[in-house]
Amino acid sequence: MAQLNDHYLKLKAGYLFPEIGRRVRVFCEQNVEAAKRLIRCGIGDVTEPLPPAVTKALHAAVDEMGTRETFKGYGPEQGYEWLRGAIAKNDFRDQGLDVADDEVFVSDGSKCDCGNILDILGDKNRLAISDPVYPVYVDTNVMAGHTGDADASGAYAGITYLPCTPQNGFIPEPPPTPADVIYLCSPNNPTGAAATRPQLQAWVKYALDHNAILLFDAAYEAYISNPALPHSIYEIPGARECAIEFRSFSKNGGFTGVRCAYTVVPKSLLASTSSGERKPLHPLWLRRMTTKFNGVSYLVQRAAESLYSPDGKAQVRALIEHYMGNARILRDGATRAGLQVFGGVDAPYIWVQTPAGVTSWQAFDKILGEANVVVTPGSGFGSKGEGYFRISSFNSRANAEEVARRLQALRW
Ligand code: MLT
């Protein structure tokens, strides 16, 4: 008798964003007039068109694929050398960081990489995950059978939750107990907080002391405005011995629909076999990629490469400035509405405390029903997200201004 993966049955409800989409669809069907003025600030999905450097590179790559002499079939599973080289040089070596071209693995998205990385990690690792958190880190561990069941608050047995609260500036602290695999996301989704150098130094020290691995999600690093804040975990000495970094072109190059990202696995990063031997993870990730993946399309890799051209860099900067301009407007609007506001300075997300006695989903329903704006309920990111909602600044300027106005018109 064929058996299913029981671990999937432990998952709570649907994945957050499809669930929000479902509720919004029902609302729109029942409120046809309100639906016409709906503004979506829920999922962090880019709205602005691709940079011209990217469309130019895509057109050129399409032409190459249409000619026998320049046509490409399968490429290297881990990415073309010219893209891995451009990434390692621009994002790391030009910043004084030691990352070799062949430590960069090109993929179709950080969400996939965050889930896929579990293939090369053991199933006995003690996990430490922030709360609130990007749901993918938790759900992929549940699916892989690395947790027990969830309790009434939605917390899974086997995970050490690291509370992120206003008291710690929404940056988790190393726990008093040992953990083997720790997920960190900075700038943070959903809270918009970004870790300081001393905070990351404390994590690297913890990881080295415990032979642990940091899974560092830096998908939003381009949004850091404070020059003192680290963009990469490899800015911290010792991180090459304890950290894997995930980066994405989704939120800087506007690639959510194009799909391209990369993961850095340093060759100096070791983990233990079940018999206690220390071995490098790099060859395992290479083996996993070459076995289970056929690489990102040539067209998309050429598109990603164009983001590192002088024009591409300037156009990415303009996109970031656009979205961060929205973040300022939304922060200001929510503050004027009398709400307590966090984030939105070094990240495109604004984390807003609900008025006293209002739950995250109640705030979601009120903002949807009365302002016709979609936000994300904080409790969807974990129990410590209860009492908050997230506003995404990925939108047009006109929509950001309109959302700021509508938030101020709400009466709680
Ligand atoms: C979000 O809204 O949290 C992000 O869009 C999710 C993602 O990047 O997968």
Side-chain angles (χ1 to χ4, degrees):
M1 188 167 37
Q3 296 193 338
L4 51 71
N5 179 347
D6 284 311
H7 302 303
Y8 275 62
L9 306 181
K10 295 181 206 158
L11 291 164
K12 306 297 281 179
Y15 183 60
L16 177 61
F17 295 105
E19 173 60 18
I20 292 171
R22 192 189 62 75
R23 290 184 184 223
V24 172
R25 260 193 313 282
V26 171
F27 173 81
C28 290
E29 278 159 21
Q30 293 170 355
N31 301 275
V32 177
E33 282 313 305
K36 290 185 190 151
R37 60 194 295 274
L38 191 78
I39 302 179
R40 294 176 192 273
C41 293
I43 190 163
D45 193 4
V46 293
T47 55
E48 302 309 293
L50 289 172
V54 170
T55 51
K56 189 169 158 210
L58 279 170
H59 283 295
V62 167
D63 288 342
E64 283 185 79
M65 292 296 261
T67 308
R68 178 171 298 281
E69 291 67 39
T70 48
F71 169 78
K72 308 276 183 301
Y74 291 125
E77 293 88 347
Q78 61 277 38
Y80 282 99
E81 277 174 25
W82 38 261
L83 178 57
R84 300 172 88 193
I87 291 169
K89 175 180 182 303
N90 285 277
D91 288 348
F92 299 100
R93 291 201 294 274
D94 285 357
Q95 319 303 323
L97 307 179
D98 174 20
V99 169
D101 297 4
D102 63 356
E103 293 176 322
V104 172
F105 294 85
V106 177
S107 77
D108 58 346
S110 285
K111 185 193 205 175
C112 321
D113 282 353
C114 287
N116 291 335
I117 202 75
L118 298 182
D119 274 9
I120 63 162
L121 299 175
D123 55 9
K124 302 277 183 299
N125 286 317
R126 291 162 295 186
L127 303 167
I129 303 185
S130 321
D131 180 7
V133 75
Y134 179 44
V136 172
Y137 311 150
V138 173
D139 287 1
T140 53
N141 275 288
V142 176
M143 291 170 174
H146 295 172
T147 72
D149 289 324
D151 66 16
S153 75
Y156 288 93
I159 296 181
T160 298
Y161 287 91
L162 308 169
C164 298
T165 61
Q167 288 69 41
N168 60 17
F170 299 101
I171 300 296
E173 289 128 9
T177 48
D180 304 308
V181 172
I182 301 117
Y183 288 80
L184 295 177
C185 175
S186 180
N188 191 262
N189 177 13
T191 66
T196 62
R197 197 169 298 274
Q199 285 166 331
L200 292 184
Q201 281 165 341
W203 274 112
V204 167
K205 180 176 183 319
Y206 176 92
L208 294 173
D209 287 350
H210 293 85
N211 280 335
I213 291 179
L214 304 176
L215 298 178
F216 189 76
D217 184 349
Y220 298 96
E221 62 76 32
Y223 290 85
I224 292 175
S225 63
N226 178 347
L229 298 178
H231 288 241
S232 167
I233 192 69
Y234 303 119
E235 291 183 43
I236 311 300
R240 281 186 52 87
E241 281 66 51
C242 66
I244 290 174
E245 182 161 306
F246 302 100
R247 292 249 193 140
S248 170
F249 298 110
S250 283
K251 312 291 160 87
N252 59 5
F255 272 36
T256 54
V258 175
R259 308 306 312 146
C260 197
Y262 67 87
T263 289
V264 178
V265 183
K267 288 185 216 144
S268 43
L269 174 65
L270 309 182
S272 297
T273 64
S274 46
S275 57
E277 245 182 302
R278 305 278 294 156
K279 294 223 179 229
L281 282 171
H282 183 277
L284 274 65
W285 187 241
L286 178 63
R287 188 70 168 82
R288 193 243 167 239
M289 292 289 275
T290 50
T291 303
K292 291 197 179 183
F293 190 51
N294 258 333
V296 175
S297 80
Y298 175 74
L299 313 177
V300 166
Q301 293 194 59
R302 281 294 184 205
E305 181 195 33
S306 75
L307 296 171
Y308 294 106
S309 66
D311 281 352
K313 285 182 183 175
Q315 291 157 11
V316 165
R317 211 24 32 229
L319 275 176
I320 306 287
E321 278 164 18
H322 166 78
Y323 291 126
M324 289 313 284
N326 288 350
R328 275 191 294 279
I329 290 164
L330 290 163
R331 265 183 68 90
D332 200 44
T335 307
R336 281 169 198 264
L339 297 162
Q340 175 85 38
V341 176
F342 304 93
V345 175
D346 295 296
Y349 295 124
I350 295 135
W351 189 240
V352 184
Q353 196 159 20
T354 59
V358 179
T359 69
S360 296
W361 277 108
Q362 284 167 347
F364 170 88
D365 285 337
K366 184 174 173 76
I367 297 168
L368 177 61
E370 296 179 23
N372 307 139
V373 172
V374 183
V375 295
T376 308
S379 55
F381 297 103
S383 63
K384 292 284 183 296
E386 181 53 272
Y388 294 87
F389 62 90
R390 191 192 76 175
I391 311 177
S392 157
S393 55
F394 292 110
N395 227 313
S396 65
R397 181 55 46 86
N399 275 353
E401 286 168 350
E402 179 60 17
V403 170
R405 273 193 292 276
R406 291 191 201 171
L407 286 175
Q408 289 171 73
L410 278 179
R411 291 292 160 262
W412 292 89

